[in-house]
Amino acid sequence: MAKLVQGGCACGAVRYRIAGQPTNSMICHCQTCRRVSAAPVVPWVTFDKSSFAFLKGAPSEYASSEP
């Protein structure tokens, strides 16, 4: 059974929906993730692109470091 999750940014300008199970999960402890989250580790989950849809708004990009 596919799981349905909805979320968005703190201000509510962008909303999204994910329908499905994660394809991967991990915990990152790199310096960039620690700085932007103010936490010692950050959990990540990956979903198939076809499972993801924006419901409202559009995200913007932020280049935190060189590629």
Side-chain angles (χ1 to χ4, degrees):
M1 174 183 281
K3 185 172 185 173
L4 182 64
V5 177
Q6 292 190 26
C9 65
C11 74
V14 176
R15 299 291 300 167
Y16 61 84
R17 177 182 63 225
I18 302 167
Q21 297 296 322
T23 57
N24 186 33
S25 64
M26 65 179 242
I27 300 212
C28 186
H29 60 275
C30 77
Q31 186 175 11
T32 300
C33 286
R34 291 192 325 251
R35 283 184 179 172
V36 299
S37 66
V41 296
V42 178
W44 292 99
V45 289
T46 305
F47 292 87
D48 192 296
K49 190 173 182 176
S50 64
S51 300
F52 183 88
F54 285 107
L55 302 174
K56 176 183 171 188
S60 61
E61 290 186 18
Y62 173 72
S64 64
S65 55
E66 293 294 322

